[in-house]
Amino acid sequence: MSYLSRHRWRLALALLPVALALLHATGVQPWRTLERAEQRLHDIRLQLAMPRTLDERVVIIDIDEASLAALGQWPWPRTRLATLVQEVLDRQRASALGFDAVFAEPDRSTGLAALRALADGPLRQQPAFTRWLHEHGHALDADQRLAHALQGRPVALGYYFTSDRGGQRSGVLPAPLADAATARDAPPGITHWNGYGANIAPLAAAAPHGGFFNALADSDGVVRAVPLLAAYNGAWYESLALAVVRQALRQPALALQWGGEPATLQALLLQGTGRHPGHVRVPVNPQAAALVPYRGPGGPRGGSFRYYSAVDVLQGRLPEGSLAGRIALLGFTAPGLMDLRATPAGEVYPGVEVHANLISGLLEGRIPVQPPEARALDVIAITATGLLLALALPALPVAGALALGLGVAAGLTALNFWLYAAHGLALPLAAALFTALAVLALDTACGYGMERRSKRRLAALFGTYVPPELVRRMVQQPERYGMQAQTRELTILFCDMHGFTSLSEHMPPLALQALLNDVLSRLSQIIHEHQGTIDKYMGDCVMAFWGAPVSMPDHAARATAAALGMAEAMRAFNRERAAAGLPEIKVGIGLNTGLVSVGDMGSDIRRAYTVLGDAVNLASRLEGLSRTYGVDIIASDSTRAQAPGFLWQALDHVHVKGRQEAVTIHTPRAPAHPEPPTHAATPVKTPAIRPASVASEQHP
């Protein structure tokens, strides 16, 4: 039977998780459990790869608790924010400034609205007041002050998109990315929105290059990727992080990189011109989203980005030029204002730092990428892993199977993590890892069950044939033993009681049964002690053999020792009978070594584990010669040759029934180096040797 046929059920069971994993990997039947596992593996992979170093290129202007305590609660007057913009961009010379905030309503903190209300009311008839308000009102208008500070500066204001049935809109959106929108149809999975909350018109006009700060969390609420492009009303818009980077790089052109068949979006290209040549390639998924390359823990003490308290910036406590050439983001960490996100780098993470990490990754080209071939690679990994383990595990012991299965799982994990850390490839892992562990678990469980069943079957089959210690050895490796017939060299023993027929004529049946059971039990015990296999009982005769089902290189020596022990046991038994005034019972034993067929033989009605062959017949004939030569044991020359550890006496060279060639026969007398006797040994009388001619005539 072939290997595949023998293990077909284990192979079929092992391939079940392969099929389930492939259904998930191909998207035919996604598993939420594997999706969650994939997300968790991504988090672990990212945490291990985080550099945990400070990036000086990006700083955060922090509206923290100290700033609110010193300057008042949020929202601050726009005049103060105008001062902040001038401080950051003029005196500190930051390369760009991004606002992780939206100014959706006019500033009402200066009293200008009240003055305008007076102009529409009691002072309507005072032309001088109206003229003054018209000429000097802009100086009092905080929104105009902030707009003036933003005008022509590398600033990106934040806004947000919404998606609801109402499609609410407020404020003014920045101009869409018309050049990118007309380059090709939108990516199939790009996020579409139907509403927004943007900045008021004066600010939007002064800073026309804003970006949305929406963060789309995964199913478990964790922010792992941020869309760099989003669609609204048939046009594309850029994210806050992308808008800030483009401001810092002096507005490079944005192009889309497509690839594969069918074509899918693979990357965004920021193509510099003029005094700012070169380009930045930003890998994205087909939905135009980028994985956030978190650097480390978040917050002022996280060590990834330098935080500056807004009050220190406003009051000029930073030395001039402290932010020169850096990108600054305005964000919040004050209690009640803190924009918190759950991220792989921390369950409570400042939202502004999500953008900071994305900007950092954009600048240094450290955005992880999931290539278009990721799904195909996942399918290959699942298939190869499943087939390898399904074919190899059944042939291995438990320890080897565990080592291989866990080794494959560890290898997949190590390779996946290395590709992420060294090359930024975010490849799926959960389905392949599930395949390895599930195939291992199922094969181990199936193998354990089959092994237990095989052990029970072996114990049931051979428990009455062989000694318990051999059964225990066999059940350790049940696959090595079976009932199939095979040709092997064995030593066969026949032992028959002499005169049993005449003895039975004068004994009641129950007494005869008791006597027979007593004799056969004594003889069988000795056979088991020498690890022989009892083939059968035939009336007053017992047949046994050595060398199967457990291989024994010294089977002839074991059989000879058992024969001597059986003869000694019968002498002891006869001493007991003599003391009770009962006649003695003699036995004759025949031994022969040769090639036989051993295995499960018989009919459909009844089968047995037995031996067949000429060597078996010769052993039976030699047992019959023991009466003629007056000895307890007669062995063939082949048995004597393979049992040199005994003292042998040659008896004759005879022809036996059924064989044309003469056979040299011997009888064992004792071990060649016996242990010192612990009791008086019974003297053995050497019988007279009959001539060969007599033996031949009596046993033609």
Side-chain angles (χ1 to χ4, degrees), residues 25-55:
T26 56
V28 175
Q29 183 60 53
W31 280 26
R32 181 174 293 272
T33 301
L34 288 182
E35 289 176 355
R36 293 289 179 87
E38 194 71 72
Q39 292 166 352
R40 183 55 185 152
L41 286 169
H42 170 83
D43 296 347
I44 296 172
R45 185 174 57 194
L46 183 141
Q47 291 165 6
L48 293 175
M50 290 190 305
R52 301 178 186 273
T53 56
L54 179 67
D55 188 347

Side-chain angles (χ1 to χ4, degrees), residues 76-79 81 101-109 112 116 141-148 150-151 157-160 169-174 196-210:
W76 287 345
R78 303 285 163 79
T79 54
L81 294 175
V102 61
F103 304 107
E105 297 179 351
D107 187 349
R108 303 183 183 278
S109 62
L112 180 60
R116 285 176 173 163
D141 193 330
D143 290 328
Q144 292 296 335
R145 286 278 305 276
L146 179 56
H148 180 72
L150 298 175
Q151 188 71 42
L157 297 181
Y159 62 93
Y160 60 88
R169 304 171 182 86
S170 64
V172 179
L173 286 176
Y196 60 84
N199 297 280
I200 60 175
L203 302 183
H209 301 292

Side-chain angles (χ1 to χ4, degrees), residues 33 123 174 214 293 314 507 522 531 621 624 656:
T33 301
L123 297 179
N214 297 72
L314 280 166
M507 293 184 65
R522 293 173 185 245
Q531 299 186 344
R621 302 301 182 194
V656 297

Side-chain angles (χ1 to χ4, degrees), residues 347-494:
E347 295 182 357
V348 180
Y349 203 87
V352 65
E353 199 165 334
V354 174
H355 304 299
N357 279 282
L358 191 52
I359 292 171
S360 173
L362 289 171
L363 293 177
E364 64 183 14
R366 198 175 54 86
I367 301 294
V369 58
Q370 188 172 73
E373 303 83 7
R375 176 169 290 185
L377 292 174
D378 196 22
V379 170
I380 293 173
I382 292 169
T383 305
T385 298
L387 291 179
L388 169 64
L389 295 181
L391 293 173
L393 292 180
L396 298 174
V398 175
L402 287 174
L404 178 61
L406 296 179
V408 168
L412 287 171
T413 304
L415 177 61
N416 186 279
F417 280 32
W418 176 77
L419 289 173
Y420 181 87
H423 301 283
L425 293 176
L427 299 176
L429 174 62
L433 202 57
F434 161 78
T435 300
L437 297 178
V439 170
L440 174 62
L442 287 176
D443 185 85
T444 301
C446 181
Y448 178 74
M450 294 179 66
E451 183 178 356
R452 291 196 62 184
R453 186 177 67 179
S454 179
K455 288 180 179 180
R456 289 194 300 267
R457 180 171 174 269
L458 274 177
L461 286 174
F462 293 103
T464 57
Y465 291 108
V466 299
E469 57 271 20
L470 288 188
V471 175
R472 287 193 292 269
R473 186 190 305 177
M474 292 168 65
V475 298
Q476 298 303 317
Q477 294 179 301
E479 67 279 0
R480 294 183 54 187
Y481 305 98
M483 302 292 282
Q484 294 83 8
Q486 53 184 306
T487 300
R488 296 169 69 170
E489 184 184 66
L490 307 179
T491 297
I492 300 93
L493 175 148
F494 278 87

Side-chain angles (χ1 to χ4, degrees), residues 532-569:
T533 299
I534 297 177
D535 186 306
K536 62 177 68 73
Y537 299 104
M538 298 167 288
D540 60 335
C541 176
V542 58
M543 173 184 172
F545 52 86
W546 280 257
V550 179
S551 297
M552 300 174 183
D554 58 343
H555 52 82
R558 290 176 182 270
T560 303
L564 289 171
M566 294 165 70
E568 176 59 32

Side-chain angles (χ1 to χ4, degrees), residues 42 186-193 212 214-218 222-231 236-242 254 256-258 264-268 281-294 354 358 362 366-372 424 426:
H42 170 83
I190 192 171
T191 309
H192 289 262
W193 308 90
F212 62 87
N214 297 72
L216 300 180
D218 288 333
V222 177
V223 176
R224 298 181 177 88
V226 171
L228 296 184
L229 298 177
W236 294 3
Y237 294 85
E238 61 185 334
S239 70
L240 178 62
L242 183 58
L254 178 64
L256 307 182
Q257 185 180 64
W258 301 78
T264 57
L265 181 63
Q266 294 186 352
L268 307 181
R281 184 180 185 275
V282 184
V284 294
N285 63 17
Q287 292 75 41
L291 292 170
V292 181
Y294 293 97
V354 174
L358 191 52
L362 289 171
R366 198 175 54 86
I367 301 294
V369 58
Q370 188 172 73

